[in-house]
Amino acid sequence: MADTLLIADASTLLNFLRVRRFDLIENLGYQVHVVDAVIDEILTERDTLHRLIDDGKISTLSLEGVTLSDTVAALLSLGLGNGEAFCFAAAVKLGASLAIDDRRAIKRAQPVAPDVNIVTSCDIVVANIRANQLTIAGADAIKTEWAEHHQFRLKFASFTDLV
């Protein structure tokens, strides 16, 4: 996945910022970009996010243009939030993958963005396990921390079930 452009929605980005494991996204070789609307949504890990931006590990995107505005408007009309709509629009415009965990937003965006490659937090963790960058025990510890402290619950017992 080296040099693959990845637009990060707040949902997935926060999952890794909260457990201090942004390295798991970096390990996969993504060029991570975040849109202004997502920066505005991230409150609890704002300092960490800005540090990653300042260090050049995350790039910011300011999006403009009529086509983009039309896409964002269409996505907003489907019930997506600002951050989600701008992330999907950016992924469409740039041919990028999108890191997002909101299943409802993904389903709603399908008519407007059917070809966007979706990357979830689980996908990122599994890719790290397969690349020997993370053990199953380490992955399960992250899963537990997400569930117990960050209200992100996964419907499987262990990452062993996915690899």
Side-chain angles (χ1 to χ4, degrees), residues 8-156:
D9 182 57
S11 58
T12 304
L13 189 55
L14 276 169
N15 282 338
F16 292 97
L17 295 180
R18 286 176 174 152
V19 296
R20 304 292 187 250
R21 293 305 309 263
F22 183 76
D23 63 297
L24 296 176
I25 298 173
E26 288 180 296
N27 288 346
L28 303 180
Y30 285 116
Q31 295 176 11
V32 180
H33 292 265
V34 65
V35 298
D36 295 340
V38 167
I39 293 171
D40 294 342
E41 289 178 355
I42 294 180
L43 303 175
T44 60
E45 298 297 328
R46 187 175 295 269
D47 291 342
T48 303
L49 174 62
H50 285 290
R51 192 168 35 259
L52 290 167
I53 292 169
D54 291 344
D55 291 346
K57 294 181 180 199
I58 296 177
S59 298
T60 59
L61 284 175
S62 295
L63 303 169
E64 304 174 350
V66 174
T67 304
L68 184 69
S69 296
D70 290 346
T71 304
V72 169
L75 290 162
L76 290 171
S77 74
L78 295 171
L80 273 70
N82 257 4
E84 296 158 344
F86 275 96
C87 284
F88 269 102
V92 168
K93 180 176 175 128
L94 300 172
S97 294
L98 173 59
I100 186 169
D101 286 305
D102 187 328
R103 292 182 194 275
R104 188 180 61 167
I106 295 166
K107 186 174 182 172
R108 288 181 178 180
Q110 282 298 310
V112 176
D115 298 324
V116 171
N117 180 49
I118 301 298
V119 179
T120 65
S121 293
C122 281
D123 296 332
I124 292 167
V125 171
V126 168
N128 274 274
I129 294 168
R130 290 183 175 149
N132 295 316
Q133 298 290 329
L134 183 65
T135 64
I136 296 284
D140 287 343
I142 291 169
K143 177 185 176 297
T144 299
E145 186 171 347
W146 282 338
E148 292 179 358
H149 303 289
H150 305 295
Q151 298 179 341
F152 181 63
R153 289 170 183 76
L154 300 170
K155 296 181 181 188
F156 52 87

